[in-house]
Amino acid sequence: MFEEAQYFAPVAANEDGSVTVELAKSHPGFADPVYRARRNAIAGLAVGYTRGEPIPHAEYSDEEHEVWTLVTRELAVKHQKYAIAEFLDAAEALGLPKDRIPQLEEVSELLKPLTGFRYLPAAGLVPLREFYGVLADSYFHSTQYIRHHSVPFYTPEPDVIHEVIGHGNTLASPRFAALYRLAGQAARRVETAEALEFVSKVFWFTLEFGVMREGRDLKAYGAGILSSYGEIEEFRGMDIRPLDVTVMGTTAYDITKYQDVLFEAASFDHLEDVVGQFWASCDDEMIAKLRTTA
Ligand code: NLE
Ligand code: FE2
């Protein structure tokens, strides 16, 4: 039985060629059969996809476009208040549509002249090494389905809003794109499962849920905070700790809730010095040592 939410939902192939993507009980769409069918149908677009082909077009309903429009409008206001300048500038350069869900192929085209990052469709589960590894080649795996309309301000799992408004805008920044690539190189360099998990936790506490000092204010740069207009109102009140690779790499988290432990970078330079340098140089041996000092 699948009860625990995890970053990637397991995907099962059915005999008729369709797919069933597992859904955690904590997901707002769990008890909505119409939503589940929709999520499975859109996830199915990613099955059998081969890199280099155009990403299959997802035909969204008016209701789905409305969720996007609402969240975009709410987030635009929150981003002005709470997002770091690097993110705001990148979002401006990318210019995502405000009143309809863009196709992933379209987002790749927008990113091309900025940083060259491209989207790959994901039904749900992507093995960790594959997910992180392809970042080194400027590829980003993304779901195409959208969150449940009843809880637009937060979803426990990655959806197209998180992937595109959270990560897409970030990937439009050359500085961020470089950090994503370094994370990918690190994921490919390490061999043990423990080291890969450590690398992915550092990713979680930075590129997914990182916060940064900007002047006197604490701002957000993590895609998971920047895609939730519920969570973005709360991060400043959480347990904010200093940026530390060893602590981040060994701290547990629960994906189904607002993150209550966050790590603060003193500046973008600081993030690059500490986390960029770590990903650029880490290997199994270094991580094994760090784990023993944690
Ligand atoms: N909680 C985020 C959101 O609502 O956009 C998604 C997080 C995915 C890790
Ligand atoms: Fe994410």
Side-chain angles (χ1 to χ4, degrees):
M1 186 61 199
F2 180 69
E3 290 178 15
E4 293 286 303
Q6 46 194 79
Y7 191 85
F8 300 110
V11 182
N14 304 321
E15 280 185 4
D16 64 0
S18 65
V19 299
T20 303
V21 191
E22 286 189 27
L23 193 58
K25 277 192 177 152
S26 55
H27 191 286
F30 182 76
D32 179 348
V34 176
Y35 179 78
R36 296 181 73 132
R38 204 47 210 140
R39 181 165 169 279
N40 288 333
I42 295 178
L45 296 172
V47 176
Y49 173 80
T50 330
R51 203 171 302 169
E53 287 174 358
I55 298 174
H57 189 97
E59 204 56 62
Y60 294 110
S61 66
D62 289 347
E63 191 182 49
E64 288 167 334
H65 284 303
E66 277 162 24
V67 174
W68 174 277
T69 305
L70 167 73
V71 175
T72 294
R73 193 172 56 228
E74 294 289 333
L75 282 176
V77 181
K78 310 281 186 197
H79 287 168
Q80 289 305 320
K81 264 167 100 172
Y82 299 126
I84 64 165
E86 184 72 24
F87 177 88
L88 293 173
D89 292 347
E92 173 106 19
L94 190 63
L96 290 173
K98 296 181 170 44
D99 55 356
R100 64 181 175 83
I101 309 170
Q103 296 296 320
L104 294 185
E105 199 60 47
E106 224 182 311
V107 184
S108 295
E109 283 303 313
L110 292 174
L111 283 170
K112 199 187 261 178
L114 299 173
T115 62
F117 255 88
R118 286 152 293 184
Y119 276 73
L120 293 174
L125 188 72
V126 180
L128 276 194
R129 203 175 292 277
E130 162 74 6
F131 176 83
Y132 290 107
V134 300
L135 294 173
D137 304 326
S138 308
Y139 281 107
F140 187 80
H141 280 101
S142 171
T143 51
Q144 288 173 277
Y145 41 75
I146 196 158
R147 62 195 58 196
H148 196 261
H149 55 83
S150 66
V151 192
F153 58 86
Y154 177 82
T155 179
E157 71 172 3
D159 71 333
V160 67
I161 290 180
H162 169 70
E163 315 278 33
V164 174
I165 299 182
H167 289 291
N169 281 322
T170 320
L171 290 168
S173 145
R175 279 182 100 172
F176 271 118
L179 282 173
Y180 277 78
R181 288 188 196 100
L182 288 173
Q185 291 164 17
R188 282 191 175 156
R189 195 180 315 113
V190 299
E191 289 177 11
T192 67
E194 291 77 21
L196 183 60
E197 192 201 350
F198 191 104
V199 166
S200 82
K201 281 185 164 172
V202 173
F203 186 96
W204 177 264
F205 286 113
T206 57
L207 296 174
E208 289 289 359
F209 285 95
V211 296
M212 188 181 284
R213 192 57 58 178
E214 222 175 50
R216 298 170 58 172
D217 300 322
L218 187 64
K219 301 269 172 119
Y221 69 89
I225 301 177
L226 293 169
S227 63
S228 165
Y229 66 88
E231 187 156 2
I232 202 171
E233 278 294 338
E234 305 294 333
F235 72 88
R236 291 167 308 154
M238 298 303 184
D239 176 0
I240 309 288
R241 303 189 183 170
L243 195 70
D244 182 313
V245 165
T246 307
V247 181
M248 292 190 287
T250 52
T251 297
Y253 59 85
D254 177 355
I255 178 173
T256 64
K257 302 200 189 100
Y258 288 176
Q259 298 303 299
D260 52 7
V261 173
L262 300 172
F263 294 87
E264 173 187 336
S267 63
F268 211 109
D269 286 340
H270 183 219
L271 177 66
E272 288 169 334
D273 288 349
V274 173
V275 176
Q277 281 302 321
F278 165 70
W279 282 329
S281 58
C282 67
D283 59 17
D284 288 347
E285 200 187 331
M286 178 202 284
I287 292 174
K289 253 190 223 138
L290 294 178
R291 282 164 49 87
T292 61
T293 64

